[in-house]
Amino acid sequence: ETLSTRAIEDVAPTVLYLLGLPVDADMDGRVLTDALRPERLASQPIAVNDEPYAMPDDSGFKYSADDEQRIQDMLEGLGYV
């Protein structure tokens, strides 16, 4: 059986599920439940993490003002900002 075309955003949540990890509640996409066997879903319900993810900032690394501007310009050029 084949699946119809899916969104790229569905890949990450599906992979997290297959690895037994929780899917972040604010994550784009969804677990592709129609691609999984019902027995799998019954034995391993989808776990959702409702806590916002925060990157630890303990490295002490700081970008220079020029680097920050270049990154900002690139993100704007890509349509992210």
Side-chain angles (χ1 to χ4, degrees), residues 53-62:
Y53 181 77
M55 291 288 292
D57 188 23
D58 59 351
S59 68
F61 178 81
K62 299 291 181 202

Side-chain angles (χ1 to χ4, degrees), residues 11-79:
V11 173
T14 303
V15 169
L16 288 171
Y17 170 78
L18 292 171
L19 292 172
L21 298 171
V23 177
D24 284 344
D26 63 348
M27 187 173 235
D28 291 337
R30 65 179 185 84
V31 176
L32 295 172
T33 56
D34 52 336
L36 303 168
R37 296 183 189 272
E39 307 83 43
R40 172 84 183 245
L41 291 165
S43 68
Q44 181 186 343
I46 298 169
V48 177
N49 180 13
D50 291 325
E51 296 293 319
Y53 181 77
M55 291 288 292
D57 188 23
D58 59 351
S59 68
F61 178 81
K62 299 291 181 202
Y63 287 104
S64 69
D66 288 340
D67 288 339
E68 285 189 21
Q69 186 60 52
R70 275 188 289 229
I71 292 168
Q72 181 74 23
D73 292 344
M74 284 189 285
L75 291 173
E76 287 174 4
L78 292 169

